[in-house]
Amino acid sequence: MTLLSRWELKDFDPGTGLGQGAAKQDGEGWLPVSAPGDTYLALVEAGRLAHPYQGRGEDPAAWVRDREWWWRCGFLTPSASSGDRVELTFEGLDTFASVYLDGELLGRTDNMFLHHAFDITEHVRPGENHLLAVCFDPPAQSVGANVLPIWSAFSDRISHSKRNQIRKAQFGWGWDWGPDLPTVGVWKPVRLETRPQERIGGVRFDTLVASAEAAQILITIESPADEALMVEVIFADPDGAVVLHRRLQSGDASLELTLESPMLWWTADLGDQPLYTLTVRLSADYRLLDEIRQRVGIRTIALDQSPDPGEPGATFFRFLLNGHSIFAKGACWVPTTSFVGDTASEPYERLIDQAVSANMNMIRVWGGGIYEPDAFYDLCDRKGLLVWQDFMFACAHYPEDDAFVTSVQAEIEQQVRRLRHHACLAVWCGNNENQAIHRINEDNTGVTSLLFGLKLYDDLMPALLEQLDPARPYRPSSPLGGTNPNSMKAGDVHNWTVWHGLPPIPDDRMVGEFRTDPEGVSYLRYAEDTSRFVSEFGLQAAPAQATLKRWMESDDLHPDSEGFLARIKDEARKAYAMMEPVTGLPSTLQEYVDFSQWCQAEGLKFGIEHFRRRRPHCSGALLWQFNDCWPCVSWSLIDYDGVTKAGYHAVRRAFAPILASFRRADDGRIELWISNDGAQPIEGVATLVLQGLDGTERWREELAYSVPAGGHAIAWQGDSPQGDDIVLRVWSIDDAFEANRYLPVTISRLALTPGARPVASVTRLGATALRIDLTADVYLAFVHLTSDRSDLTFSDNHFDLAAGEARSVVVRARGPLGPDDVSIRCWNDRGS
């Protein structure tokens, strides 16, 4: 096999490239580009375009989408054995592409999510040089004449781009967190290989039953029905010991196997992630013709939607992993960059490690992005992170004509066959928000109408999954449940009462009005949520100021500048409604960063603690969103450069297996809850202290607690503390859970000691690591370590430090690290 990676590109007026010899080896002005790769970045490298992320570079890049782009490369035909075929495979072309070989048209493509294989045996001879050329037409000129409805109750982001009529990453034309940069080019690898004509059609691995004592697995093989061919099946355990070795005559077959004392796959919070190896070979007269090798995990996954006896009229929505009910803790994932073909900027391992380190056990791959590459799912397999996988449809009506449906059918078949063996894959989902937005639009306008796309979600997808992956749950949309798609009585919910001000939907109808005032969008309204499973919720925050400085012009480093506002793709003033009652309004960029990050952290902490206390009635919290595709202000926990926001660390603490949290009851009293997401009951002692900000103790109690697996205990109830100079704190004597606190007033009203700072000492742990020990004489809020570098990780960050408290933070870097690389800030001294 040969990877065709060295290409060149050139743009033409639409419709003129072929006539100017672009499909032949002539012409000047061609620029080098790698495949997979990205047209924008090739232009940046050649000096024809400023980086679209740099400064105000987004708008000046708009011309790229309107040009006709040609990519081409030469190759030498490899030798082939008698009877073998020469095959040219494109794993992804983005998007309306015509493929030429030596000037002759091989075929056309119109779906970036499909791979395309061309048999070129009759077109080439071993040892000959050939030219491969691909013409990419402008998307706007390639869309058909279909006219689909627009939801009048929402901003129209579709009429201009017509993105919903194109099988292409939907976020590429801009979202409320992403730039308007529709990509074009060879975005996935291109392979040239000689291979036998006979091949394995597919392999499916299913765990039918799984327990510590035994597991029942099913291996399904599709192969040619040819008596001259043989299929060999080898199944090896994680240590390499062969569990099954079977030779079969070729043809479709199923093998059922019972394993004693299997090594089960669990999420990172519940156990280990052992992976078995399944190898299937097709041969003729001992000549290997084809081989498929998969790393698989033995585990069952199911979705319990039975009636909830504790809340009559409602149902559960909880995932069962190996029969064990879990609380899904995680976030929604967007593409790691707008330039989806740029493999150099795919920080998958870092991001997956950060998710697991934040005590997450599930990631939702959102339906407006891309089906992520194999490396993403391999990492989730290895590191114990379940994947909620949307199909790539989001926030729009979609066509139902035969040509569109046929393309989608091929897309679904390919992606399901590619991903179904992964242990991490928990659920398939038809789209993001289409049914929910449609219903809100109907309720808001009073007009009942048809949702285009139901043929895909209700007919095509479930039928294909029943054939290709029947054991895994399927959801037509997210959110979906009850008589209203966003009902809190059943299914999953997207809570956008907080931040966007949408009225909540306790059952069938919205209750209340659309509100954008501070009280209407307050994160305290998470306490009204009685959902079964919250698959989107969140608040925006700015990235680190150092990240903004790396990407913005110095004149734009102000919250009211045009350049800064261009990095807020949602309504910019919404953040002020969030900040005003909590922190006050910012006047500088540093204050904008501090205030928005504090509000995001406090809001997510409040919401997650509420959702977890509702277990088993609520069984999941997937926040919006985990990562960014460019340097911007968004709902992410981790900015584009990889720097964690305050919200990341608040979420890590709130998602910890054992959580101590304070709840303000309806009668005004305060409750201390201990929540246990582990598989075993726990017992311990908690220390509860009411303390002045100066360190003076008002009272202290030692509280014994006992909590069942997956349950809660209310360890204490008492009067709500009053005053702006006190804090109610709880910690574990044996570090069973992380310390927590209850502040009677907002941070802007807290009587902090101005100018106070932590006392710090630094210990070098090696060339790339430091330990920073911090202590405080008075209460310090929002203590955080910062750096101008983006490659640092912190074992802890963005925390309050009480008088007399000590805390250690380990800082690690990818290169040499010294004390001068780290600064320490806190709310008390933020004006200094």
Side-chain angles (χ1 to χ4, degrees):
M1 180 186 73
T2 302
L3 287 176
L4 304 182
S5 58
R6 300 182 65 180
W7 292 63
E8 58 184 9
L9 64 77
K10 187 177 179 180
D11 61 307
F12 297 86
D13 291 333
T16 67
L18 187 63
Q20 295 185 48
K24 300 178 182 179
Q25 193 71 56
D26 39 297
E28 298 179 348
W30 292 78
L31 305 176
V33 62
S34 297
D38 178 84
T39 296
Y40 291 96
L41 297 185
L43 295 171
V44 172
E45 184 69 21
R48 279 193 60 189
L49 183 70
H51 198 296
Y53 294 173
Q54 198 73 50
R56 302 186 188 183
E58 178 186 356
D59 289 344
W63 63 271
V64 174
R65 78 192 66 187
D66 297 322
R67 301 292 287 167
E68 176 182 289
W69 290 95
W70 283 76
W71 288 47
R72 68 187 188 186
C73 77
F75 66 86
L76 183 70
T77 307
S79 299
S81 301
S82 176
D84 283 359
R85 314 302 294 172
V86 182
E87 189 171 86
L88 181 65
T89 300
F90 296 89
E91 292 189 17
L93 294 173
D94 183 10
T95 293
F96 295 99
S98 300
V99 180
Y100 295 85
L101 180 62
D102 297 328
E104 179 182 346
L105 180 66
L106 290 180
R108 303 184 192 276
T109 73
D110 61 0
N111 187 328
M112 76 176 286
F113 303 123
L114 283 175
H115 74 252
H116 301 273
F118 298 96
D119 186 337
I120 60 172
T121 308
E122 305 304 319
H123 298 265
V124 297
R125 295 290 180 271
E128 291 182 349
N129 287 298
H130 299 275
L131 181 68
L132 178 63
V134 184
C135 171
F136 295 96
D137 295 321
Q141 299 185 17
S142 304
V143 179
N146 287 336
V147 177
L148 293 172
I150 300 297
W151 290 307
S152 59
F154 296 88
S155 299
D156 178 10
R157 295 174 176 264
I158 299 172
S159 294
H160 177 69
S161 68
K162 297 184 179 180
R163 62 169 175 80
N164 53 335
Q165 300 185 46
I166 306 173
R167 290 315 298 142
K168 179 174 172 61
Q170 302 288 272
F171 84 111
W173 284 273
W175 219 265
D176 55 7
W177 41 264
D180 186 359
L181 294 168
T183 50
V184 57
V186 181
W187 80 289
K188 286 199 167 186
V190 183
R191 303 191 309 270
L192 178 68
E193 54 190 326
T194 60
R195 58 182 304 162
Q197 191 164 3
E198 301 85 357
R199 62 188 62 184
I200 301 166
V203 175
R204 195 177 84 222
F205 178 88
D206 293 310
T207 305
L208 305 179
V209 179
S211 70
E213 292 73 33
Q216 188 177 356
I217 64 174
L218 178 67
I219 301 170
T220 306
I221 302 165
E222 303 169 38
S223 61
D226 188 334
E227 294 182 357
L229 304 179
M230 295 295 295
V231 171
E232 183 180 18
V233 182
I234 303 170
F235 189 59
D237 71 18
D239 298 322
V242 175
V243 177
L244 170 71
H245 190 176
R246 189 84 55 86
R247 288 178 64 86
L248 310 167
Q249 187 170 307
S250 184
D252 292 352
S254 295
L255 297 176
E256 199 165 310
L257 174 66
T258 299
L259 294 180
E260 303 296 330
S261 302
M263 290 178 269
L264 299 184
W265 187 95
W266 295 95
T267 50
D269 56 330
L270 293 176
D272 297 327
Q273 298 77 48
L275 295 174
Y276 289 68
T277 302
L278 173 62
T279 305
V280 179
R281 296 174 178 146
L282 180 69
S283 60
D285 296 327
Y286 298 100
R287 181 195 177 201
L288 181 64
L289 303 177
D290 196 13
E291 178 179 279
I292 292 178
R293 179 170 296 183
Q294 299 174 342
R295 297 276 281 168
V296 298
I298 295 178
R299 63 99 183 96
T300 58
I301 192 78
L303 191 52
D304 175 15
Q305 299 183 75
S306 61
D308 180 353
E311 295 189 349
T315 59
F316 290 121
F317 190 91
R318 54 187 179 186
F319 286 92
L320 305 178
L321 179 61
N322 300 324
H324 174 79
S325 173
I326 68 171
F327 189 97
K329 298 179 282 194
C332 298
W333 176 283
V334 303
T336 61
T337 174
S338 289
F339 308 125
V340 292
D342 178 24
T343 56
S345 63
E346 293 174 349
Y348 288 117
E349 186 154 17
R350 171 180 58 77
L351 284 168
I352 296 301
D353 282 341
Q354 287 173 310
V356 173
S357 295
N359 295 307
M360 295 184 180
N361 58 20
M362 181 176 282
I363 282 286
R364 174 177 170 237
V365 178
W366 169 75
I370 61 173
Y371 303 98
E372 294 294 338
D374 293 342
F376 171 87
Y377 303 93
D378 290 340
L379 285 164
C380 291
D381 282 346
R382 291 183 2 233
K383 295 177 183 292
L385 200 60
L386 289 170
V387 175
W388 173 310
Q389 179 66 56
D390 284 3
F391 291 113
M392 295 298 118
F393 301 86
C395 303
H397 291 270
Y398 283 88
E400 296 183 347
D401 60 88
D402 290 346
F404 192 86
V405 171
T406 298
S407 179
V408 170
Q409 178 172 340
E411 170 189 327
I412 302 302
E413 287 182 349
Q414 286 189 11
Q415 296 299 335
V416 172
R417 287 178 179 275
R418 178 174 74 98
L419 300 177
R420 63 187 175 183
H421 71 278
H422 285 283
C424 65
L425 190 59
V427 61
W428 296 104
C429 183
N431 70 76
N432 174 76
E433 295 188 342
N434 294 352
Q435 282 88 325
I437 294 177
H438 188 71
R439 172 60 189 273
I440 292 173
N441 192 75
E442 289 184 330
D443 289 349
N444 195 57
T445 62
V447 177
T448 301
S449 58
L450 177 67
L451 172 62
F452 288 88
L454 290 178
K455 183 176 181 179
L456 305 175
Y457 325 128
D458 293 349
D459 299 329
L460 177 67
M461 292 175 185
L464 288 174
L465 289 168
E466 180 61 30
Q467 171 192 351
L468 299 172
D469 195 20
R472 193 170 273 109
Y474 167 69
R475 303 281 298 163
S477 182
S478 175
L480 192 70
T483 57
N484 187 300
N486 212 27
S487 168
M488 296 181 185
K489 290 286 189 180
D492 66 312
V493 161
H494 292 187
N495 183 327
W496 288 115
T497 298
V498 176
W499 183 264
H500 285 308
L502 295 176
I505 306 174
D507 191 358
D508 180 61
R509 309 289 297 186
M510 292 184 293
V511 175
E513 300 176 343
F514 286 80
R515 298 179 60 179
T516 57
D517 61 292
E519 185 179 355
V521 302
S522 167
Y523 61 72
L524 298 178
R525 297 196 69 185
Y526 284 133
E528 303 171 20
D529 193 304
T530 58
S531 303
R532 313 292 102 192
F533 189 110
V534 189
S535 48
E536 279 192 21
F537 68 102
L539 304 95
Q540 277 194 358
Q545 186 167 10
T547 297
L548 294 172
K549 288 180 177 179
R550 279 188 287 273
W551 292 100
M552 292 176 59
E553 300 298 332
S554 57
D555 291 345
D556 279 334
L557 294 173
H558 188 277
D560 293 324
S561 73
E562 181 180 342
F564 180 72
L565 294 175
R567 294 180 184 269
I568 307 175
K569 296 302 183 179
D570 193 23
E571 169 54 51
R573 307 305 295 187
K574 286 182 182 179
Y576 289 89
M578 172 186 71
M579 290 186 280
E580 184 177 7
V582 178
T583 61
L585 297 180
S587 59
T588 66
L589 186 62
Q590 183 64 70
E591 284 189 340
Y592 192 103
V593 172
D594 289 343
F595 292 7
S596 63
Q597 288 206 14
W598 173 272
C599 288
Q600 183 193 50
E602 290 296 293
L604 294 176
K605 173 183 183 294
F606 184 90
I608 291 170
E609 290 177 350
H610 166 72
F611 299 137
R612 287 190 63 182
R613 287 192 299 263
R614 278 188 43 75
R615 184 178 182 183
H617 313 299
C618 177
S619 295
L622 308 181
L623 60 93
W624 184 269
Q625 66 205 70
F626 186 64
N627 59 310
D628 276 329
C629 69
W630 77 307
C632 66
V633 177
S634 80
W635 294 266
S636 72
L637 297 182
I638 301 169
D639 71 29
Y640 177 74
D641 284 355
V643 181
T644 54
K645 300 179 184 178
Y648 172 88
H649 298 278
V651 166
R652 178 184 60 77
R653 291 186 279 268
F655 275 157
I658 302 172
L659 171 70
S661 65
F662 293 101
R663 174 181 179 266
R664 185 181 178 89
D666 293 339
D667 62 4
R669 288 167 62 83
I670 300 298
E671 301 170 344
L672 173 64
W673 287 56
I674 309 294
S675 301
N676 173 24
D677 277 350
Q680 302 297 325
I682 58 170
E683 293 183 350
V685 176
T687 299
L688 185 67
V689 174
L690 183 65
Q691 188 177 38
L693 300 187
D694 61 359
T696 304
E697 283 193 11
R698 311 292 175 89
W699 53 258
R700 172 189 291 251
E701 290 190 38
E702 305 295 327
L703 306 169
Y705 61 83
S706 177
V707 190
H712 317 277
I714 299 178
W716 176 84
Q717 291 177 303
D719 293 334
S720 175
Q722 303 295 318
D724 60 5
D725 61 346
I726 55 173
V727 57
L728 183 62
R729 301 176 57 224
V730 64
W731 64 86
S732 168
I733 291 177
D734 58 358
D735 296 324
F737 57 81
E738 295 214 37
N740 206 343
R741 46 83 170 141
Y742 174 82
L743 297 174
V745 298
T746 61
I747 186 68
S748 62
R749 295 171 53 203
L750 200 62
L752 298 169
T753 302
R757 294 177 52 83
V759 177
S761 64
V762 180
T763 302
R764 184 177 292 281
L765 302 180
T768 61
L770 303 171
R771 188 185 75 239
I772 301 179
D773 299 302
L774 301 168
T775 58
D777 296 326
V778 295
Y779 197 89
L780 304 177
F782 205 50
V783 177
H784 54 284
L785 283 64
T786 67
S787 177
D788 289 338
R789 295 170 56 171
S790 62
D791 66 322
L792 273 56
T793 60
F794 302 88
S795 63
D796 196 3
N797 211 348
H798 295 279
F799 46 79
D800 290 3
L801 202 59
E805 184 181 4
R807 193 173 300 213
S808 295
V809 177
V810 175
V811 187
R812 300 187 186 279
R814 291 194 293 271
L817 177 67
D820 292 342
D821 289 318
V822 181
S823 299
I824 303 171
R825 302 181 68 247
C826 67
W827 198 276
N828 304 59
D829 74 335
R830 62 184 177 83
S832 60

